[in-house]
Amino acid sequence: MHELEQNIDHILLTEEQIQSKVREIAEQISKDYTGKQLLLVGILKGSMPFMADLMRYLTINAKIDFMSVSSYGNGTVSSGQVRIILDLNKPIENYDLLIVEDILDSGATLSYIREWLSIRKPRSFKIATLLDKPARRKADIYADYSCFVIPDEFVVGYGLDYAEDYRNLPYIGVLKREVYEK
Ligand code: IMP
Ligand code: MG
């Protein structure tokens, strides 16, 4: 048992549910990107487990790269301000970009990234997100591939953090409110 499991209210998505859905999405992406120049761009750090599983379930070739952005600080509500901490350092004109993100929440992060990268004219630009919380959307942005639509609760695990902890839980759980409300 994970040492922080006592802080989890309940499990929202089990390892098995996550794996089977990621595999299904990977099959769809493999079909859609056949004959294209797929470049997966993982948004660090939250997308790491999703990226690692997704790329291994693909049956087509894919190049990978990473960006790192920050918007959250240590709270559970987005600051709305996005900063690029690590950028792509190669031209992207010849690539079909698929951004790989842990969760689409207000949409501030991904709409900023979309603006930031579209200037460099990738061949195409799409978004794959593990989780989608449409209830909190503020920006006009949607996911092209989304594994799970979830209710407006703060979740951790499988890459998602609270104050940088819980990322290595193998499942996704709802964090007990008392953990962040005190
Ligand atoms: P957005 O810019 O509001 O769409 O937020 C996206 C980022 O907020 C994600 O990449 C996560 O790092 C973080 N985030 C949003 N909701 C949650 C959550 O429920 N748990 C953990 N992190 C979250
Ligand atoms: Mg985060």
Side-chain angles (χ1 to χ4, degrees):
M1 174 172 146
H2 193 285
E3 64 169 332
L4 293 179
E5 197 157 289
Q6 78 270 12
N7 292 343
I8 302 299
D9 189 77
H10 60 276
I11 294 179
L12 189 66
L13 299 163
T14 65
E15 278 186 77
E16 291 73 23
Q17 285 175 304
I18 296 168
Q19 290 303 318
S20 96
K21 192 69 194 187
V22 172
R23 184 174 213 141
E24 193 185 307
I25 293 282
E27 278 169 21
Q28 188 60 50
I29 292 170
S30 299
K31 280 190 198 137
D32 295 350
Y33 283 84
T34 300
K36 300 197 170 174
Q37 291 291 325
L38 176 57
L39 174 62
L40 299 173
V41 178
I43 308 304
L44 295 172
K45 298 172 249 190
S47 71
M48 205 202 127
F50 177 39
M51 177 83 155
D53 287 334
L54 180 70
M55 61 188 267
R56 286 179 293 177
Y57 286 132
L58 293 177
T59 53
I60 56 168
N61 186 49
K63 290 187 168 61
I64 67 165
D65 212 334
F66 295 93
M67 287 178 73
S68 178
V69 300
S70 94
S71 71
Y72 246 54
N74 279 348
T76 58
V77 178
S78 177
S79 68
Q81 285 185 324
V82 183
R83 274 191 311 141
I84 304 285
I85 294 174
L86 175 74
D87 197 359
L88 301 179
N89 59 9
K90 292 204 183 94
I92 55 175
E93 291 105 73
N94 295 328
Y95 291 100
D96 293 289
L97 260 60
L98 183 59
I99 305 298
V100 180
E101 175 64 305
D102 55 358
I103 183 167
L104 184 50
D105 187 26
S106 74
T109 308
L110 282 175
S111 49
Y112 190 88
I113 289 172
R114 183 174 59 186
E115 291 305 305
W116 182 265
L117 293 177
S118 64
I119 298 163
R120 294 181 222 169
K121 305 231 178 316
R123 217 178 259 176
S124 65
F125 181 96
K126 285 190 176 177
I127 293 167
T129 188
L130 177 71
L131 306 177
D132 188 356
K133 259 191 210 173
R136 289 168 45 90
R137 196 66 37 80
K138 291 202 187 103
D140 180 23
I141 193 149
Y142 65 94
D144 300 281
Y145 304 93
S146 151
C147 295
F148 303 98
V149 173
I150 64 162
D152 184 11
E153 289 177 304
F154 195 78
V155 294
V156 293
Y158 194 70
L160 291 116
D161 73 303
Y162 171 64
E164 297 296 328
D165 292 324
Y166 305 94
R167 291 196 199 273
N168 69 330
L169 279 176
Y171 55 80
I172 291 171
V174 174
L175 193 60
K176 284 185 182 162
R177 284 191 163 268
E178 67 238 39
V179 175
Y180 56 88
E181 279 184 349
K182 62 181 179 215

